[in-house]
Amino acid sequence: MYTKCGMIGVSHFKSIINHKWWISTQFPAYTNIHNVISRRFVSEVLFERGSSNVVDNGRLQNFPSSSYEAAMEKLSSLITRQRRGEKPPIANKLEKMSMYLKILGLEEDMNSLNIIHVAGTKGKGSTCIFCEAILRECGIRTGVFTSPHLIDVRERFRIDGINISEDKFLQYFWDCWNQLEEKATEQLPMPPLFMFLTILSFKIFISEQVDAAIIEVGLGGTEDSTNVIKEPTVCGITSLGMDHTEILGDTLGQIASHKAGIFKPKVPAFTVPQLPEAMDVILERAKELMVPLEVTEPLDCKQMKGLKFCLSGDHQLYNAALAVSLSRCWLQRTGNWEKVCQNDFQDSNLPDEFIRGLSTANFSGRSQIVCDSSLYSDCPEIMSENCGGELIFYLDGAHSPESMEACAKWFSNALKGYKNASQTSIGVVNAEESSENGPFLHESKTLGTFEKSCRQILLFNCLDVRNPKILLPQLVNECALSGIHFSRALFVPSMSKYTKVTSGASVIPSDLSGIDLSWQFNLQRIWEKIMHGKEMTPLLDKDFKIESKLMLPPHEFLYDNASKGGPSHNDFPCSAVIPSLPLTIKWLRDCVKEHPSTRLQVLVTGSLHLVGDVLKLLKR
């Protein structure tokens, strides 16, 4: 096989094998050298080395040298709605999906993907990631498609646990784009964004010859673009709740009917315990299609043999148990079970491969803790050896009542764990030095860090189709049960827009002209009523003028006694509206630099878009 620069010879191959670090970073899914020496090795090397050529059936092929941002512009052109909650008017969606797949020559190859199809209201992404990690530990080549992405669209497509490379993404993107654009007609125009990304995931996974494809449903199930899957290997439904009611219906039964729409005749399915209204619908649908349905109970922590999840929170015990059942069923139905485990589960013990997968699975923006490393850029020895973390972000994209309750419990437990960790201290991992999908925090030896006072800050935004009058009290009350109380709340608009697909390298907008903060002021009113038990609208109307939106609170706002209030706080001691997220992050950093004796623990929640934007800013 030849590259642009010459031949990959035996001596070069051996030198690569001898570099353990290179193998571990480029091929983390492989546990032995025999997995590395495969039909895919040379193709992987070419891509990871940044070649503009692709190996296809032994031949090198060129792909367009268009920039990544040009691809983002093309994707943005596929957005058919201006805001979340607007249902795109697509008739015969699944019929059109089939036509698109036929144009790309993918229809006949769909069944070779051996798909695990997962629907649900909350936890379906985490369940998919658990499944992927388990099967990868079992030596299975995996592909997983999830949504939404937080920083870069490539997050949606993982091959063997790693986001697809930029070169590979561009190759498959332009291949799909050019073929579909060439065949586009008035009756069959270019597909909307999510439909295109779903098609692209099938293209990627088929071309990459994955053994298992784990596909997360986008919205609902019955009419979702992913439901073009006709013969999945196994299906799963995670916990159901009231979300996307403007599209799926305003009862649990209606929502469950959509989710159970992914069931296929006689194909095994699993779900977690549901409320009766939802479970009845799921059971009825399974009966109609003669689907063998099993309800999984939450995983017993004892089965983990002392290891813990990277994905923290008690709710993950349900997602993990569902993933265990889905993965076991997949291995059994594809004839791979005996290769992994000689016997079935005995005495409720999990195979070691399952335990390793569950303990290493990670998913950005879900119960993730990030210590801001920018505060130590001038002092690398402090950053790597002695950081107690003066500014710590707790990120979770909860945006429904059920997920907000789970977020509050996780946050409360994380703070308790932090306070009680007397034998270990948190060390900072630079965003650039961490793995592409890995956590930012690690444990290091105690180095005598001095005790700091801690303040809990809420950084919040949610879409206007959500109900903050339910979400915010849910968060406050659940945290209060654990003795956790927020000193302040900051309300900010997200940077992400529904009209634009951006990448991690996209320019962050700095122009604040014309920005509408009315929704953030509304969130603040709700918060102040929760804190004070009465409406604060007259004060807000008087003191928070649109023309004053560039003003930031004084740094003392975060540190003064919350009961004081005063004119400097616009008479609102508990909250502030800040016009942009970049300004907010900078302001928080400046506050911490002026008050190094106080640690700020910032919970970022209410929106995955907000969480992704914060991660993007912290990585810069």
Side-chain angles (χ1 to χ4, degrees):
M1 307 296 293
Y2 289 83
T3 67
K4 290 168 62 180
C5 302
M7 183 171 69
I8 298 178
V10 175
S11 61
H12 179 63
F13 177 79
K14 287 182 179 178
S15 69
I16 291 174
I17 298 304
N18 289 333
H19 284 80
K20 294 181 180 179
W21 174 86
W22 192 88
I23 290 293
S24 66
T25 55
Q26 301 299 321
F27 300 96
Y30 300 104
T31 56
N32 59 65
I33 197 63
H34 298 96
N35 292 53
V36 178
I37 306 174
S38 68
R39 67 183 184 275
R40 307 177 182 99
F41 178 77
V42 175
S43 177
E44 293 290 336
V45 171
L46 291 180
F47 273 121
E48 295 300 332
R49 290 309 180 213
S51 171
S52 61
N53 299 310
V54 176
V55 177
D56 183 18
N57 295 326
R59 298 186 300 275
L60 285 174
Q61 298 190 359
N62 293 321
F63 66 87
S65 58
S66 305
S67 74
Y68 192 66
E69 289 303 316
M72 297 305 101
E73 290 292 335
K74 293 291 187 181
L75 284 176
S76 297
S77 72
L78 300 179
I79 296 175
T80 56
R81 54 179 177 169
Q82 296 302 306
R83 60 190 292 272
R84 191 267 191 200
E86 293 179 358
K87 187 175 182 179
I90 309 172
N92 305 316
K93 180 189 293 185
L94 297 182
E95 180 182 337
K96 289 183 177 179
M97 277 291 295
S98 295
M99 296 173 71
Y100 291 130
L101 293 174
K102 188 173 182 179
I103 290 173
L104 296 173
L106 301 177
E107 258 192 333
E108 295 182 1
D109 294 319
M110 286 287 290
N111 292 338
S112 68
L113 289 177
N114 296 317
I115 291 171
I116 297 177
H117 200 190
V118 181
T121 301
K122 59 177 182 174
K124 59 182 183 290
S126 297
T127 300
C128 288
I129 295 301
F130 275 134
C131 286
E132 189 278 332
I134 290 172
L135 293 181
R136 180 160 38 87
E137 286 291 340
C138 293
I140 305 300
R141 180 166 171 83
T142 58
V144 63
F145 174 61
T146 58
S147 60
H149 63 273
L150 299 183
I151 298 177
D152 195 290
V153 72
R154 293 184 294 113
E155 298 166 25
R156 297 178 185 241
F157 315 96
R158 286 193 186 189
I159 303 293
D160 282 333
I162 302 176
N163 297 348
I164 188 170
S165 70
E166 187 172 310
D167 283 346
K168 282 187 176 182
F169 175 84
L170 287 175
Q171 164 66 18
Y172 298 128
F173 170 84
W174 289 114
D175 191 7
C176 288
W177 182 276
N178 292 336
Q179 290 189 65
L180 293 178
E181 188 176 48
E182 182 181 350
K183 298 289 186 178
T185 63
E186 186 176 345
Q187 291 72 33
L188 190 69
M190 289 294 287
L193 178 62
F194 184 76
M195 187 181 288
F196 181 89
L197 294 175
T198 304
I199 295 166
L200 180 58
S201 74
F202 296 141
K203 170 67 176 178
I204 290 171
F205 297 152
I206 289 171
S207 300
E208 289 294 305
Q209 302 177 57
V210 302
D211 301 314
I214 301 98
I215 306 295
E216 177 191 357
V217 169
L219 175 61
T222 303
E223 299 179 5
D224 186 71
S225 299
T226 65
N227 210 27
V228 72
I229 299 168
K230 297 178 181 178
E231 297 181 27
T233 301
V234 61
C235 297
I237 297 181
T238 64
S239 182
L240 300 184
M242 302 300 293
D243 196 15
H244 297 287
T245 54
E246 71 283 356
I247 296 175
L248 303 180
D250 55 7
T251 69
L252 269 181
Q254 292 173 325
I255 291 172
S257 179
H258 279 278
K259 307 295 183 178
I262 68 169
F263 287 170
K264 300 299 183 295
K266 300 182 180 180
V267 173
F270 297 85
T271 188
V272 299
Q274 309 281 0
L275 291 175
E277 184 181 356
M279 186 61 78
D280 290 346
V281 173
I282 293 173
L283 290 172
E284 181 63 29
R285 180 64 174 169
K287 182 179 178 180
E288 290 175 4
L289 297 176
M290 293 184 288
V291 169
L293 178 67
E294 182 178 323
V295 179
T296 63
E297 294 300 322
L299 194 73
D300 186 344
C301 292
K302 296 178 181 178
Q303 294 178 273
M304 292 295 292
K305 298 180 180 179
L307 295 180
K308 296 182 179 181
F309 299 155
C310 282
L311 292 173
S312 57
D314 292 343
H315 59 288
Q316 295 295 0
L317 295 174
Y318 289 90
N319 300 330
L322 181 58
V324 165
S325 296
L326 292 170
S327 300
R328 177 184 57 185
C329 182
W330 187 95
L331 289 166
Q332 291 170 339
R333 297 201 75 205
T334 57
N336 287 283
W337 177 252
E338 290 74 15
K339 301 175 185 177
V340 177
C341 190
Q342 297 301 319
N343 304 302
D344 208 333
F345 297 131
Q346 294 183 353
D347 300 323
S348 300
N349 289 329
L350 295 177
D352 290 343
E353 292 85 353
F354 280 48
I355 295 174
R356 287 198 302 269
L358 292 172
S359 64
T360 57
N362 62 81
F363 202 19
S364 292
R366 285 78 171 177
S367 305
Q368 183 180 8
I369 305 174
V370 180
C371 185
D372 183 26
S373 60
S374 70
L375 299 174
Y376 309 96
S377 57
D378 298 330
C379 250
E381 69 280 359
I382 295 179
M383 181 176 66
S384 61
E385 297 291 343
N386 199 27
C387 169
E390 280 82 0
L391 181 57
I392 304 177
F393 292 89
Y394 296 77
L395 303 115
D396 190 83
H399 49 265
S400 68
E402 296 84 2
S403 59
M404 191 60 71
E405 179 182 358
C407 170
K409 290 179 179 178
W410 161 72
F411 179 61
S412 300
N413 290 332
L415 294 189
K416 288 181 179 179
Y418 187 95
K419 183 177 181 180
N420 295 332
S422 58
Q423 299 303 314
T424 59
S425 63
I426 292 183
V428 182
V429 178
N430 244 332
E432 292 77 16
E433 295 173 358
S434 64
S435 63
E436 187 169 9
N437 297 300
F440 287 95
L441 294 184
H442 67 89
E443 289 187 347
S444 62
K445 293 181 294 183
T446 301
L447 294 167
T449 56
F450 58 89
E451 284 296 320
K452 296 175 181 289
S453 62
C454 296
R455 284 197 169 230
Q456 289 77 50
I457 310 297
L458 175 64
L459 181 57
F460 187 89
N461 190 41
C462 67
L463 298 172
D464 58 8
V465 294
R466 307 292 182 190
N467 190 345
K469 293 183 179 180
I470 295 177
L471 296 182
L472 288 173
Q474 183 89 52
L475 175 64
V476 171
N477 295 336
E478 193 63 46
C479 285
L481 291 175
S482 299
I484 302 300
H485 303 278
F486 293 98
S487 299
R488 303 288 186 271
L490 306 175
F491 299 101
V492 298
S494 300
M495 298 187 304
S496 301
K497 305 296 181 185
Y498 277 102
T499 56
K500 180 76 173 175
V501 179
T502 59
S503 72
S506 297
V507 176
I508 295 175
S510 58
D511 183 15
L512 299 178
S513 59
I515 188 171
D516 182 4
L517 296 175
S518 57
W519 177 247
Q520 282 67 45
F521 290 139
N522 180 55
L523 295 175
Q524 187 184 31
R525 291 187 185 99
I526 296 170
W527 181 263
E528 292 294 338
K529 184 177 181 180
I530 295 171
M531 294 294 105
H532 299 287
K534 61 181 180 180
E535 294 285 353
M536 308 294 280
T537 303
L539 288 173
L540 281 169
D541 290 341
K542 174 184 176 183
D543 295 308
F544 283 98
K545 308 252 184 190
I546 296 298
E547 57 264 29
S548 303
K549 64 191 175 189
L550 291 179
M551 295 188 62
L552 295 171
H555 295 164
E556 289 70 27
F557 167 73
L558 289 183
Y559 302 95
D560 285 350
N561 189 323
S563 63
K564 288 170 59 177
S568 64
H569 302 156
N570 289 311
D571 295 306
F572 289 94
C574 298
S575 62
V577 171
I578 301 181
S580 84
L581 192 55
L583 278 178
T584 304
I585 299 299
K586 182 182 183 303
W587 181 75
L588 284 170
R589 287 168 170 168
D590 291 342
C591 288
V592 167
K593 288 176 182 177
E594 285 196 13
H595 297 80
S597 63
T598 302
R599 178 175 294 122
L600 298 184
Q601 298 166 318
V602 184
L603 174 63
V604 183
T605 191
S607 164
L608 277 169
H609 296 282
L610 177 65
V611 167
D613 290 341
V614 170
L615 283 172
K616 182 184 293 187
L617 290 168
L618 295 181
K619 281 195 172 188
R620 293 190 177 189

